[in-house]
Amino acid sequence: MNTEIINANVLDHVGIILDGNRRFAKRLMKEPWKGHELGAEKLERLFDWCRDLDIKEITVYAFSIQNFNRPKKEFDYLMKIFNEEFDRLLHDEKLHKRKVKIRVIGRIEKFPKDLYEKMKKVMDMTNDYNDYTINFAM
């Protein structure tokens, strides 16, 4: 067995389905939508970890069409988190320094107009970058 494979760059693209945030919050005896907030906080660490491993592309399945049917309070909280995170991306100097392209794929026109506009703005702002790519499947 070749032990050198451990240090080899064998992954170019990783896909992750964000799931279990509500169950996690329930275990912590918190409101279900608080799990989404905790999950969003972990994404930054995930992106840094993938970059450290020289994984060039990440796809995060963050929101399904069925999620539009969540209870209003939870849906509104999710939209708040997405708004905050895309605001953060709009002002994140690391994106420029690391040449990270952000793509939001899916039916993004179904999202609230302000969030949709932020998604488009982040994509436009990073469109010419190609060192790393983060795809948000929405």
Side-chain angles (χ1 to χ4, degrees):
M1 184 166 135
N2 184 353
T3 57
E4 296 298 315
I5 194 78
I6 293 169
N7 295 323
N9 183 10
V10 295
L11 296 174
D12 289 325
H13 188 166
V14 172
I16 298 167
I17 300 171
L18 303 181
D19 190 29
N21 289 329
R22 290 187 301 170
R23 289 186 298 275
F24 181 66
K26 186 176 180 179
R27 278 191 291 170
L28 296 176
M29 293 186 268
K30 296 187 179 285
E31 297 291 339
W33 50 87
K34 283 295 192 180
H36 301 300
E37 186 176 302
L38 295 168
E41 291 171 9
K42 295 291 183 192
L43 277 179
E44 181 79 21
R45 288 178 39 204
L46 170 73
F47 296 150
D48 288 341
W49 176 73
C50 287
R51 191 182 66 81
D52 290 345
L53 292 172
D54 204 31
I55 296 170
K56 299 292 187 186
E57 189 164 358
I58 306 163
T59 298
V60 179
Y61 187 44
F63 196 86
S64 72
I65 196 76
Q66 292 81 14
N67 290 147
F68 280 101
N69 296 322
R70 295 276 171 109
K72 180 172 177 21
K73 190 171 184 179
E74 184 177 3
F75 176 83
D76 289 346
Y77 199 82
L78 283 166
M79 294 304 105
K80 176 183 168 286
I81 291 171
F82 286 134
N83 265 297
E84 289 170 356
E85 290 303 310
F86 278 96
D87 272 338
R88 190 183 59 72
L89 289 172
L90 282 170
H91 302 96
D92 189 347
E93 288 301 315
K94 288 190 295 187
L95 289 181
H96 305 293
K97 181 179 159 191
R98 297 175 178 167
K99 304 275 189 237
V100 179
K101 177 184 287 194
I102 301 292
R103 294 190 317 175
V104 186
I105 56 177
R107 298 179 228 170
I108 66 172
E109 70 280 354
K110 292 191 173 290
F111 286 88
K113 185 174 175 50
D114 60 333
L115 178 54
Y116 171 78
E117 293 298 328
K118 287 176 191 175
M119 291 173 178
K120 289 186 60 69
K121 192 171 182 179
V122 169
M123 287 191 290
D124 290 343
M125 180 181 77
T126 64
N127 190 51
D128 293 332
Y129 297 155
N130 60 12
D131 287 2
Y132 299 94
T133 302
I134 300 173
N135 304 300
F136 289 96
M138 307 280 283

PDB file of all heavy atoms in Angstrom, residues 83-103:
ATOM      1  N   ASN A  83     -29.440  36.411   3.583  1.00  0.00           N
ATOM      2  CA  ASN A  83     -29.171  37.829   3.354  1.00  0.00           C
ATOM      3  C   ASN A  83     -27.887  38.270   4.048  1.00  0.00           C
ATOM      4  O   ASN A  83     -27.054  38.961   3.450  1.00  0.00           O
ATOM      5  CB  ASN A  83     -30.348  38.689   3.811  1.00  0.00           C
ATOM      6  CG  ASN A  83     -31.287  39.027   2.697  1.00  0.00           C
ATOM      7  OD1 ASN A  83     -30.902  39.693   1.740  1.00  0.00           O
ATOM      8  ND2 ASN A  83     -32.517  38.557   2.796  1.00  0.00           N
ATOM      9  N   GLU A  84     -27.731  37.876   5.291  1.00  0.00           N
ATOM     10  CA  GLU A  84     -26.529  38.254   6.045  1.00  0.00           C
ATOM     11  C   GLU A  84     -25.280  37.654   5.422  1.00  0.00           C
ATOM     12  O   GLU A  84     -24.246  38.321   5.308  1.00  0.00           O
ATOM     13  CB  GLU A  84     -26.662  37.808   7.505  1.00  0.00           C
ATOM     14  CG  GLU A  84     -27.669  38.612   8.290  1.00  0.00           C
ATOM     15  CD  GLU A  84     -27.976  38.016   9.659  1.00  0.00           C
ATOM     16  OE1 GLU A  84     -27.464  36.910   9.983  1.00  0.00           O
ATOM     17  OE2 GLU A  84     -28.737  38.660  10.405  1.00  0.00           O
ATOM     18  N   GLU A  85     -25.369  36.395   5.010  1.00  0.00           N
ATOM     19  CA  GLU A  85     -24.192  35.733   4.440  1.00  0.00           C
ATOM     20  C   GLU A  85     -23.819  36.314   3.077  1.00  0.00           C
ATOM     21  O   GLU A  85     -22.633  36.485   2.778  1.00  0.00           O
ATOM     22  CB  GLU A  85     -24.413  34.221   4.354  1.00  0.00           C
ATOM     23  CG  GLU A  85     -24.432  33.539   5.710  1.00  0.00           C
ATOM     24  CD  GLU A  85     -23.170  33.771   6.518  1.00  0.00           C
ATOM     25  OE1 GLU A  85     -22.049  33.578   5.992  1.00  0.00           O
ATOM     26  OE2 GLU A  85     -23.294  34.167   7.692  1.00  0.00           O
ATOM     27  N   PHE A  86     -24.804  36.637   2.247  1.00  0.00           N
ATOM     28  CA  PHE A  86     -24.471  37.241   0.960  1.00  0.00           C
ATOM     29  C   PHE A  86     -23.993  38.681   1.136  1.00  0.00           C
ATOM     30  O   PHE A  86     -23.122  39.133   0.387  1.00  0.00           O
ATOM     31  CB  PHE A  86     -25.627  37.110  -0.039  1.00  0.00           C
ATOM     32  CG  PHE A  86     -25.643  35.759  -0.694  1.00  0.00           C
ATOM     33  CD1 PHE A  86     -26.448  34.742  -0.213  1.00  0.00           C
ATOM     34  CD2 PHE A  86     -24.818  35.482  -1.782  1.00  0.00           C
ATOM     35  CE1 PHE A  86     -26.436  33.475  -0.793  1.00  0.00           C
ATOM     36  CE2 PHE A  86     -24.795  34.229  -2.368  1.00  0.00           C
ATOM     37  CZ  PHE A  86     -25.605  33.224  -1.877  1.00  0.00           C
ATOM     38  N   ASP A  87     -24.495  39.395   2.143  1.00  0.00           N
ATOM     39  CA  ASP A  87     -23.940  40.708   2.486  1.00  0.00           C
ATOM     40  C   ASP A  87     -22.469  40.567   2.865  1.00  0.00           C
ATOM     41  O   ASP A  87     -21.618  41.353   2.431  1.00  0.00           O
ATOM     42  CB  ASP A  87     -24.692  41.339   3.672  1.00  0.00           C
ATOM     43  CG  ASP A  87     -25.890  42.147   3.266  1.00  0.00           C
ATOM     44  OD1 ASP A  87     -25.959  42.597   2.105  1.00  0.00           O
ATOM     45  OD2 ASP A  87     -26.766  42.344   4.134  1.00  0.00           O
ATOM     46  N   ARG A  88     -22.186  39.581   3.685  1.00  0.00           N
ATOM     47  CA  ARG A  88     -20.805  39.344   4.120  1.00  0.00           C
ATOM     48  C   ARG A  88     -19.914  39.046   2.918  1.00  0.00           C
ATOM     49  O   ARG A  88     -18.808  39.581   2.797  1.00  0.00           O
ATOM     50  CB  ARG A  88     -20.762  38.188   5.122  1.00  0.00           C
ATOM     51  CG  ARG A  88     -19.410  38.027   5.812  1.00  0.00           C
ATOM     52  CD  ARG A  88     -19.394  36.837   6.742  1.00  0.00           C
ATOM     53  NE  ARG A  88     -19.690  35.579   6.073  1.00  0.00           N
ATOM     54  CZ  ARG A  88     -18.865  34.944   5.237  1.00  0.00           C
ATOM     55  NH1 ARG A  88     -17.690  35.446   4.968  1.00  0.00           N
ATOM     56  NH2 ARG A  88     -19.211  33.803   4.685  1.00  0.00           N
ATOM     57  N   LEU A  89     -20.413  38.216   1.999  1.00  0.00           N
ATOM     58  CA  LEU A  89     -19.631  37.894   0.803  1.00  0.00           C
ATOM     59  C   LEU A  89     -19.373  39.132  -0.049  1.00  0.00           C
ATOM     60  O   LEU A  89     -18.296  39.256  -0.657  1.00  0.00           O
ATOM     61  CB  LEU A  89     -20.341  36.819  -0.026  1.00  0.00           C
ATOM     62  CG  LEU A  89     -20.353  35.416   0.565  1.00  0.00           C
ATOM     63  CD1 LEU A  89     -21.258  34.502  -0.254  1.00  0.00           C
ATOM     64  CD2 LEU A  89     -18.941  34.839   0.653  1.00  0.00           C
ATOM     65  N   LEU A  90     -20.333  40.029  -0.107  1.00  0.00           N
ATOM     66  CA  LEU A  90     -20.160  41.253  -0.891  1.00  0.00           C
ATOM     67  C   LEU A  90     -18.994  42.104  -0.388  1.00  0.00           C
ATOM     68  O   LEU A  90     -18.417  42.885  -1.146  1.00  0.00           O
ATOM     69  CB  LEU A  90     -21.441  42.092  -0.878  1.00  0.00           C
ATOM     70  CG  LEU A  90     -22.554  41.620  -1.796  1.00  0.00           C
ATOM     71  CD1 LEU A  90     -23.848  42.365  -1.513  1.00  0.00           C
ATOM     72  CD2 LEU A  90     -22.148  41.780  -3.256  1.00  0.00           C
ATOM     73  N   HIS A  91     -18.654  41.943   0.870  1.00  0.00           N
ATOM     74  CA  HIS A  91     -17.600  42.769   1.476  1.00  0.00           C
ATOM     75  C   HIS A  91     -16.404  41.940   1.949  1.00  0.00           C
ATOM     76  O   HIS A  91     -15.579  42.447   2.697  1.00  0.00           O
ATOM     77  CB  HIS A  91     -18.191  43.569   2.637  1.00  0.00           C
ATOM     78  CG  HIS A  91     -19.327  44.435   2.222  1.00  0.00           C
ATOM     79  ND1 HIS A  91     -20.640  44.046   2.353  1.00  0.00           N
ATOM     80  CD2 HIS A  91     -19.353  45.635   1.609  1.00  0.00           C
ATOM     81  CE1 HIS A  91     -21.420  44.989   1.857  1.00  0.00           C
ATOM     82  NE2 HIS A  91     -20.669  45.965   1.397  1.00  0.00           N
ATOM     83  N   ASP A  92     -16.302  40.714   1.498  1.00  0.00           N
ATOM     84  CA  ASP A  92     -15.252  39.806   1.962  1.00  0.00           C
ATOM     85  C   ASP A  92     -14.007  39.947   1.085  1.00  0.00           C
ATOM     86  O   ASP A  92     -13.985  39.491  -0.063  1.00  0.00           O
ATOM     87  CB  ASP A  92     -15.763  38.364   1.936  1.00  0.00           C
ATOM     88  CG  ASP A  92     -14.824  37.387   2.612  1.00  0.00           C
ATOM     89  OD1 ASP A  92     -13.667  37.756   2.896  1.00  0.00           O
ATOM     90  OD2 ASP A  92     -15.253  36.246   2.848  1.00  0.00           O
ATOM     91  N   GLU A  93     -12.986  40.567   1.636  1.00  0.00           N
ATOM     92  CA  GLU A  93     -11.740  40.764   0.887  1.00  0.00           C
ATOM     93  C   GLU A  93     -11.040  39.445   0.555  1.00  0.00           C
ATOM     94  O   GLU A  93     -10.283  39.375  -0.402  1.00  0.00           O
ATOM     95  CB  GLU A  93     -10.792  41.687   1.664  1.00  0.00           C
ATOM     96  CG  GLU A  93     -11.240  43.138   1.671  1.00  0.00           C
ATOM     97  CD  GLU A  93     -11.371  43.711   0.260  1.00  0.00           C
ATOM     98  OE1 GLU A  93     -10.470  43.493  -0.577  1.00  0.00           O
ATOM     99  OE2 GLU A  93     -12.391  44.376  -0.003  1.00  0.00           O
ATOM    100  N   LYS A  94     -11.299  38.399   1.354  1.00  0.00           N
ATOM    101  CA  LYS A  94     -10.675  37.094   1.069  1.00  0.00           C
ATOM    102  C   LYS A  94     -11.093  36.556  -0.295  1.00  0.00           C
ATOM    103  O   LYS A  94     -10.320  35.865  -0.947  1.00  0.00           O
ATOM    104  CB  LYS A  94     -11.016  36.069   2.162  1.00  0.00           C
ATOM    105  CG  LYS A  94     -10.315  36.316   3.468  1.00  0.00           C
ATOM    106  CD  LYS A  94     -10.488  35.171   4.438  1.00  0.00           C
ATOM    107  CE  LYS A  94     -11.917  34.993   4.854  1.00  0.00           C
ATOM    108  NZ  LYS A  94     -12.118  33.999   5.918  1.00  0.00           N
ATOM    109  N   LEU A  95     -12.314  36.851  -0.716  1.00  0.00           N
ATOM    110  CA  LEU A  95     -12.760  36.395  -2.040  1.00  0.00           C
ATOM    111  C   LEU A  95     -11.852  36.940  -3.128  1.00  0.00           C
ATOM    112  O   LEU A  95     -11.472  36.221  -4.054  1.00  0.00           O
ATOM    113  CB  LEU A  95     -14.194  36.840  -2.324  1.00  0.00           C
ATOM    114  CG  LEU A  95     -15.319  36.179  -1.569  1.00  0.00           C
ATOM    115  CD1 LEU A  95     -16.659  36.759  -2.018  1.00  0.00           C
ATOM    116  CD2 LEU A  95     -15.300  34.685  -1.752  1.00  0.00           C
ATOM    117  N   HIS A  96     -11.501  38.205  -3.014  1.00  0.00           N
ATOM    118  CA  HIS A  96     -10.655  38.846  -4.015  1.00  0.00           C
ATOM    119  C   HIS A  96      -9.206  38.359  -3.895  1.00  0.00           C
ATOM    120  O   HIS A  96      -8.572  38.052  -4.895  1.00  0.00           O
ATOM    121  CB  HIS A  96     -10.720  40.366  -3.879  1.00  0.00           C
ATOM    122  CG  HIS A  96     -12.119  40.887  -3.949  1.00  0.00           C
ATOM    123  ND1 HIS A  96     -12.877  40.831  -5.102  1.00  0.00           N
ATOM    124  CD2 HIS A  96     -12.908  41.455  -3.007  1.00  0.00           C
ATOM    125  CE1 HIS A  96     -14.073  41.357  -4.859  1.00  0.00           C
ATOM    126  NE2 HIS A  96     -14.115  41.730  -3.604  1.00  0.00           N
ATOM    127  N   LYS A  97      -8.738  38.276  -2.668  1.00  0.00           N
ATOM    128  CA  LYS A  97      -7.359  37.848  -2.433  1.00  0.00           C
ATOM    129  C   LYS A  97      -7.134  36.419  -2.930  1.00  0.00           C
ATOM    130  O   LYS A  97      -6.116  36.116  -3.534  1.00  0.00           O
ATOM    131  CB  LYS A  97      -7.064  37.947  -0.932  1.00  0.00           C
ATOM    132  CG  LYS A  97      -5.680  37.556  -0.529  1.00  0.00           C
ATOM    133  CD  LYS A  97      -5.508  37.725   0.976  1.00  0.00           C
ATOM    134  CE  LYS A  97      -4.355  36.888   1.463  1.00  0.00           C
ATOM    135  NZ  LYS A  97      -4.303  36.823   2.918  1.00  0.00           N
ATOM    136  N   ARG A  98      -8.108  35.555  -2.693  1.00  0.00           N
ATOM    137  CA  ARG A  98      -7.976  34.144  -3.063  1.00  0.00           C
ATOM    138  C   ARG A  98      -8.566  33.825  -4.432  1.00  0.00           C
ATOM    139  O   ARG A  98      -8.540  32.687  -4.861  1.00  0.00           O
ATOM    140  CB  ARG A  98      -8.645  33.276  -1.996  1.00  0.00           C
ATOM    141  CG  ARG A  98      -7.966  33.403  -0.652  1.00  0.00           C
ATOM    142  CD  ARG A  98      -8.700  32.641   0.411  1.00  0.00           C
ATOM    143  NE  ARG A  98      -8.018  32.733   1.685  1.00  0.00           N
ATOM    144  CZ  ARG A  98      -8.541  32.381   2.830  1.00  0.00           C
ATOM    145  NH1 ARG A  98      -9.775  31.890   2.876  1.00  0.00           N
ATOM    146  NH2 ARG A  98      -7.867  32.502   3.943  1.00  0.00           N
ATOM    147  N   LYS A  99      -9.124  34.830  -5.102  1.00  0.00           N
ATOM    148  CA  LYS A  99      -9.720  34.668  -6.437  1.00  0.00           C
ATOM    149  C   LYS A  99     -10.792  33.577  -6.441  1.00  0.00           C
ATOM    150  O   LYS A  99     -10.765  32.636  -7.223  1.00  0.00           O
ATOM    151  CB  LYS A  99      -8.653  34.361  -7.480  1.00  0.00           C
ATOM    152  CG  LYS A  99      -7.547  35.383  -7.542  1.00  0.00           C
ATOM    153  CD  LYS A  99      -7.951  36.516  -8.442  1.00  0.00           C
ATOM    154  CE  LYS A  99      -6.768  37.445  -8.687  1.00  0.00           C
ATOM    155  NZ  LYS A  99      -7.062  38.794  -8.311  1.00  0.00           N
ATOM    156  N   VAL A 100     -11.761  33.726  -5.535  1.00  0.00           N
ATOM    157  CA  VAL A 100     -12.846  32.753  -5.378  1.00  0.00           C
ATOM    158  C   VAL A 100     -14.058  33.198  -6.182  1.00  0.00           C
ATOM    159  O   VAL A 100     -14.598  34.284  -5.962  1.00  0.00           O
ATOM    160  CB  VAL A 100     -13.251  32.595  -3.895  1.00  0.00           C
ATOM    161  CG1 VAL A 100     -14.393  31.597  -3.754  1.00  0.00           C
ATOM    162  CG2 VAL A 100     -12.053  32.175  -3.054  1.00  0.00           C
ATOM    163  N   LYS A 101     -14.465  32.344  -7.096  1.00  0.00           N
ATOM    164  CA  LYS A 101     -15.687  32.589  -7.864  1.00  0.00           C
ATOM    165  C   LYS A 101     -16.866  32.033  -7.072  1.00  0.00           C
ATOM    166  O   LYS A 101     -16.823  30.896  -6.594  1.00  0.00           O
ATOM    167  CB  LYS A 101     -15.632  31.896  -9.224  1.00  0.00           C
ATOM    168  CG  LYS A 101     -16.919  32.069 -10.038  1.00  0.00           C
ATOM    169  CD  LYS A 101     -16.875  31.302 -11.339  1.00  0.00           C
ATOM    170  CE  LYS A 101     -15.938  32.038 -12.252  1.00  0.00           C
ATOM    171  NZ  LYS A 101     -16.050  31.596 -13.654  1.00  0.00           N
ATOM    172  N   ILE A 102     -17.902  32.842  -6.931  1.00  0.00           N
ATOM    173  CA  ILE A 102     -19.132  32.408  -6.275  1.00  0.00           C
ATOM    174  C   ILE A 102     -20.198  32.253  -7.351  1.00  0.00           C
ATOM    175  O   ILE A 102     -20.425  33.163  -8.144  1.00  0.00           O
ATOM    176  CB  ILE A 102     -19.618  33.430  -5.222  1.00  0.00           C
ATOM    177  CG1 ILE A 102     -18.561  33.661  -4.136  1.00  0.00           C
ATOM    178  CG2 ILE A 102     -20.962  33.000  -4.625  1.00  0.00           C
ATOM    179  CD1 ILE A 102     -18.316  32.485  -3.231  1.00  0.00           C
ATOM    180  N   ARG A 103     -20.820  31.080  -7.346  1.00  0.00           N
ATOM    181  CA  ARG A 103     -21.948  30.852  -8.257  1.00  0.00           C
ATOM    182  C   ARG A 103     -23.132  30.386  -7.421  1.00  0.00           C
ATOM    183  O   ARG A 103     -22.978  29.616  -6.481  1.00  0.00           O
ATOM    184  CB  ARG A 103     -21.596  29.786  -9.302  1.00  0.00           C
ATOM    185  CG  ARG A 103     -20.501  30.237 -10.230  1.00  0.00           C
ATOM    186  CD  ARG A 103     -20.278  29.336 -11.402  1.00  0.00           C
ATOM    187  NE  ARG A 103     -20.309  27.926 -11.044  1.00  0.00           N
ATOM    188  CZ  ARG A 103     -20.228  26.948 -11.929  1.00  0.00           C
ATOM    189  NH1 ARG A 103     -20.114  27.201 -13.204  1.00  0.00           N
ATOM    190  NH2 ARG A 103     -20.252  25.695 -11.545  1.00  0.00           N
TER     191      ARG A 103
END
